[in-house]
Amino acid sequence: MNSAARKICFVTGSRADFGLLVWPMRAIRETSGLTLQLIATGMHLAPEFGYTFNAIRDEGFEVDERVETLLASDTGAGVAKSVGLGVIGFADAFTRLQPDLVVVLGDRFEMFAAAQAAMFMRLPMAHLFGGDVTEGAVDESIRHAISKMAHLHFTSNRDSTRRLMQLGEHPSRIHTIGSVGLDAVKHVDLMNRDDIGNAIGMPLGERNALVTFHPVTVEAGRSVAELDELFAALSTLDPGFRLIFTLANADAEGRALNDRTKAFATDRPNTIAVASLGQLRYLSLMSQVDVVIGNSSSGILEAPSYGVPTVDIGDRQKGRERADSVFHAAPERGAIAAALSQALQRGRKDTVNPYGDGDSSRRFADIIAAIPDFRQFLKKGFYEAPASGARP
């Protein structure tokens, strides 16, 4: 290791953010003068969520620190306590690693904990996907809070850049690079149908759907009822339609959703539920299915690049810019069934993805490498955005 190289420390807490971070981390690792550090936390370390720590190693990355955060709880209080544990753990990890720049992505509570620790330790911080909007999840508040703690911003689209300016972030600190998740779409060599079937434990059929339903975290108690509405709509599909569920994340009510999903898969033929597919299997499967269903951001961000229609349910992703291949449905069985019919009638076709061209990670690394001193950004002022609504 080059002792003079600047240390860029990424934090990953789930299969979802890790899949997005793979290519930025590779770009940093391949860039002269930069050294990659990696902290694994959250669901990566939990067997009930697939122990996806092993997937990190499978992608060729070494983990420098582990930060345990998750409690055996499915409540908001449990998540709040997990954030507290995370702040303590990240403070210790950052003390040992002494990074020059901390990189966090998105809006999950593990990232919130890492950002708080980095802020109090006066560590420069870069935030990916700030300025996005997801009105149906507590993630909305977490994301904007992280943006205010961060010093550099890398956004997925121009509307997100504009929102960060409205939050008082200076335009010189904001870089619109597109979604790093599309880099995998552009560069990964996908598995064929037979290999996908062998990998997931069920051969693909004539018609297939990829389904993910995460907790609706803004209003307690809604998630299970909305999932049951989804099950009712799915039950109207031809029994030969194959359904592949990926389980929910570790937000409040996530365990309840997973128990119900596994029971549904057990009782229904041609249906399976898996804790985690990993990036290669997930994207390969997405490229082959007839429709993506649920409330995961992947249906908004990645699916359009494969021309696959998406049925986006409820408010979890409300506010995100979306391609014309995305069909929204209220979390009610009739609305979901109607959107499914529209999506399947549309079918797979070329779609313009509003989130970029698949070269975002290289842009990210080049911008990072060109900054001579990250600590120059520690002092922040509040940028008064123009009142005219002018776009950046």
Side-chain angles (χ1 to χ4, degrees), residues 89-236:
F90 282 112
D92 291 337
F94 291 148
T95 297
R96 288 187 288 268
L97 294 177
Q98 293 293 302
D100 295 290
L101 180 71
V102 174
V103 180
V104 293
L105 181 147
D107 46 34
R108 284 192 51 76
F109 63 84
E110 301 95 342
M111 299 297 163
F112 189 43
Q116 290 181 72
M119 176 185 67
F120 287 117
M121 295 175 71
R122 298 183 295 280
L123 295 173
M125 183 176 10
H127 186 206
L128 288 157
F129 288 6
D132 285 1
V133 176
T134 52
E135 297 177 15
V138 71
D139 303 356
E140 170 86 351
S141 298
I142 293 175
R143 185 187 312 107
H144 296 327
I146 293 174
S147 290
K148 292 309 299 179
M149 290 186 273
H151 307 98
L152 291 167
H153 308 279
F154 296 87
T155 67
S156 62
N157 61 84
R158 289 172 59 85
D159 284 340
S160 293
T161 295
R162 175 179 52 78
R163 293 188 193 102
L164 285 176
M165 291 168 58
Q166 288 180 290
L167 286 173
E169 299 303 296
H170 197 279
S172 65
R173 295 170 178 248
I174 308 171
H175 304 275
T176 308
I177 61 171
S179 172
V180 294
L182 299 191
D183 292 34
V185 173
K186 182 173 182 178
H187 297 292
V188 166
D189 292 326
L190 299 175
M191 303 164 66
N192 62 40
R193 288 175 66 89
D194 290 340
D195 289 342
I196 295 169
N198 291 333
I200 66 176
M202 181 178 73
L204 297 184
E206 187 174 333
R207 309 211 81 179
N208 307 275
L210 175 60
V211 190
T212 307
F213 194 85
H214 293 303
V216 183
T217 51
V218 168
E219 296 183 40
R222 281 180 48 188
S223 300
V224 170
E226 292 190 5
L227 180 63
D228 286 344
E229 292 295 304
L230 170 58
F231 289 156
L234 292 175
S235 295
T236 66

